[in-house]
Amino acid sequence: MTVADELTPETTETPELQDETEEPIKQRKNGLYPGVSDELAENMKSGWADTELRDLKPIAQAAETAARRAALSARFPGERLVIPAGNLKTRSNDTEYPFRASVEYAYLTGNQTEDGVLVLEPTSDGHRATLYLLPRSDRENGEFWLSGQGELWVGRRHSLTEAEKLYGIPASDVRKLPQRLKEATGPVRVVRGYDAGIETALHDKVTAERDDELRVFLSEMRLVKDAFEIGELQKAVDSTVRGFEDVVKVLDKAEATSERYIEGTFFLRARVEGNDVGYGTIAAAGPHACTLHWVRNDGPVRSGDLLLLDAGVETHTYYTADVTRTLPINGRFSEIQKKIYDAVYESQEAGIAAVKPGAKYRDFHDAAQRVLAERLVEWGLVEGPVERVLELGLQRRWTLHGTGHMLGMDVHDCAAARTETYVEGVLEPGMVLTVEPGLYFQADDLTVPEEYRGIGVRIEDDILVTEDGNRNLSAGLPRRSDEVEQWMASLKG
């Protein structure tokens, strides 16, 4: 009898190739091969070279990830801590979205593979870390060529031994973890929202309140960046600067097509020099610049309009830049465009100047908003005095958003941190944040003169808090209106 004789249309499984403890290997329902002969199954088991990698070095951030795990261990003594990477998500039928490991998991391990789980087991003097991963796909049971996630389909995984060398953490087979967690005793916390199977195994051992405390702590750990993180953020910004240069050089091609030419041009830089874009690129030309998160990028690019480009390269270690420039598509600001742009530039200058250690987090926002309110009163668009405008938030009709946010492995990093340590907190050296004021005059806003309508301007830079002030990581891109024009001319020339 062949294996094919035992296949059923409902499952298309290969039972004789399966270990009793493993999930059956499933194939496409309408695949062209109905099954696997015994002869082929046996043939595929042998004749393969040994490809184990034996001279691997630890990843660049191994010392930093170990220090982060130590800080986590000190915060939750005597408790089992479970941090999953997450699972693949189906896009359609048998295709998946590109996988991105949870920030919490990647931050603590440096590993980025799906289904991974970091477990910190309590010991008498801290915790013992174990990295639970899928081992290399099995050649004995045919997984490596029969499974849609097998090695011959999606690429080689590291062996558990290789993973131990890379990440400096003992590694074990993640398929055995759910049962171990079901049998675990004592207090347990898990980072929720990434791995339903792990959460099911722990459902009677955890509480939402305790798990939220774990997530909040991990978010607040990332408020101050270590030297490795700052270096990665600078890499992300440097690549982003080159991506903006790429865009300026092809604006004529964008005019002949659409905003998507701009999006695609920047994406090429992100994929060549990094992992991906850190968020959906906003390539907003003309009145689309007044839509804060315009990511459809399907509109026309016209000479005489402005292009608001908000984009960031994400490095291979998940650190992202977040930079915005508003550029005259033909290389020259009109009088009204320059008037609005210069107001936003002055606002940003005031905001950046307020970024320094010991300052309140809100200070840079307040400083930037004051300048915008002053200009709006000066232009007669809102009735003063400025203090009244700020107290009532009247400037928000045309500014809409806050002036910045923390930046790191997420574009809006540390989002789960407590309000008192983030928005109501104090700036410290090592924090990285954006300063990004904007003015947006909607095309249908009848409260402003017609010449203002459809103009949107935002300028955004990534600012590192230093011991004595701040450093603009994205200073490689010009900001002043005359310098922007000169820069664009030099690139087009």
Side-chain angles (χ1 to χ4, degrees), residues 370-430:
R370 175 171 291 277
V371 173
L372 294 181
E374 289 171 351
R375 295 298 168 267
L376 293 168
V377 170
E378 177 186 315
W379 298 340
L381 302 184
V382 65
E383 183 182 347
V386 169
E387 294 298 339
R388 168 183 171 273
V389 174
L390 292 170
E391 181 180 353
L392 299 177
L394 301 180
Q395 84 282 2
R396 292 185 62 188
R397 181 182 179 103
W398 303 286
T399 65
L400 294 171
H401 56 80
T403 311
H405 52 79
M406 291 296 181
L407 184 67
M409 297 183 83
D410 281 328
V411 66
H412 291 172
D413 208 29
C414 314
R418 292 167 295 168
T419 300
E420 56 266 34
T421 61
Y422 189 155
V423 174
E424 302 297 341
V426 174
L427 296 179
E428 300 177 40

Side-chain angles (χ1 to χ4, degrees), residues 299-474:
V301 179
R302 299 189 179 99
S303 179
D305 283 346
L306 297 176
L307 167 68
L308 190 157
L309 178 58
D310 185 336
V313 172
E314 176 186 84
T315 68
H316 295 291
T317 55
Y318 288 174
Y319 289 87
T320 184
D322 182 8
V323 178
T324 306
R325 289 294 182 269
T326 305
L327 310 172
I329 292 166
N330 64 11
R332 301 287 294 181
F333 290 102
S334 70
E335 184 178 345
I336 185 63
Q337 290 169 350
K338 185 176 186 300
K339 173 182 174 180
I340 295 169
Y341 184 95
D342 288 347
V344 175
Y345 170 75
E346 292 169 18
S347 169
Q348 195 201 27
E349 282 282 272
I352 293 174
V355 175
K356 53 190 174 184
K360 294 179 181 178
Y361 176 83
R362 287 182 175 273
D363 287 352
F364 77 94
H365 169 72
D366 293 342
Q369 291 292 300
R370 175 171 291 277
V371 173
L372 294 181
E374 289 171 351
R375 295 298 168 267
L376 293 168
V377 170
E378 177 186 315
W379 298 340
L381 302 184
V382 65
E383 183 182 347
V386 169
E387 294 298 339
R388 168 183 171 273
V389 174
L390 292 170
E391 181 180 353
L392 299 177
L394 301 180
Q395 84 282 2
R396 292 185 62 188
R397 181 182 179 103
W398 303 286
T399 65
L400 294 171
H401 56 80
T403 311
H405 52 79
M406 291 296 181
L407 184 67
M409 297 183 83
D410 281 328
V411 66
H412 291 172
D413 208 29
C414 314
R418 292 167 295 168
T419 300
E420 56 266 34
T421 61
Y422 189 155
V423 174
E424 302 297 341
V426 174
L427 296 179
E428 300 177 40
M431 289 182 170
V432 180
L433 60 144
T434 67
V435 179
E436 51 176 309
L439 282 174
Y440 313 91
F441 298 102
Q442 304 298 326
D444 59 351
D445 188 349
L446 302 181
T447 70
V448 301
E450 187 174 357
E451 64 178 348
Y452 286 77
R453 298 173 197 166
I455 296 178
V457 174
R458 179 164 67 251
I459 311 171
E460 176 182 19
D461 285 271
D462 302 341
I463 310 298
L464 167 67
V465 183
T466 62
E467 294 290 344
D468 56 357
N470 69 66
R471 175 159 59 93
N472 186 349
L473 300 179
S474 45

Side-chain angles (χ1 to χ4, degrees), residues 227-271:
F228 176 84
E229 294 179 286
I230 293 169
E232 289 298 292
L233 285 167
Q234 187 65 69
K235 285 182 191 175
V237 169
D238 292 345
S239 290
T240 298
V241 168
R242 290 188 282 273
F244 274 71
E245 292 171 347
D246 295 340
V247 166
V248 171
K249 292 175 182 177
V250 299
L251 282 177
D252 58 333
K253 294 183 174 63
E255 288 186 59
T257 51
S258 75
E259 295 163 336
R260 290 196 174 176
Y261 202 97
I262 294 166
E263 177 188 351
T265 297
F266 187 85
F267 181 68
L268 176 61
R269 178 66 65 174
R271 287 293 280 167

Side-chain angles (χ1 to χ4, degrees), residues 59 61 85 101-102 105-106 109-114 116 131 133 163 167 318:
I59 58 173
Q61 68 269 41
S102 75
Y105 174 86
T109 66
N111 178 259
Q112 300 176 8
T113 55
E114 66 269 16
L131 195 57
L133 301 166
Y167 306 109
Y318 288 174

Side-chain angles (χ1 to χ4, degrees), residues 17 25 45 138-147:
L17 297 182
I25 297 171
K45 290 181 182 180
D138 199 326
R139 293 181 185 261
E140 279 300 308
N141 72 357
E143 177 199 355
F144 79 110
W145 72 285
L146 289 172
S147 169

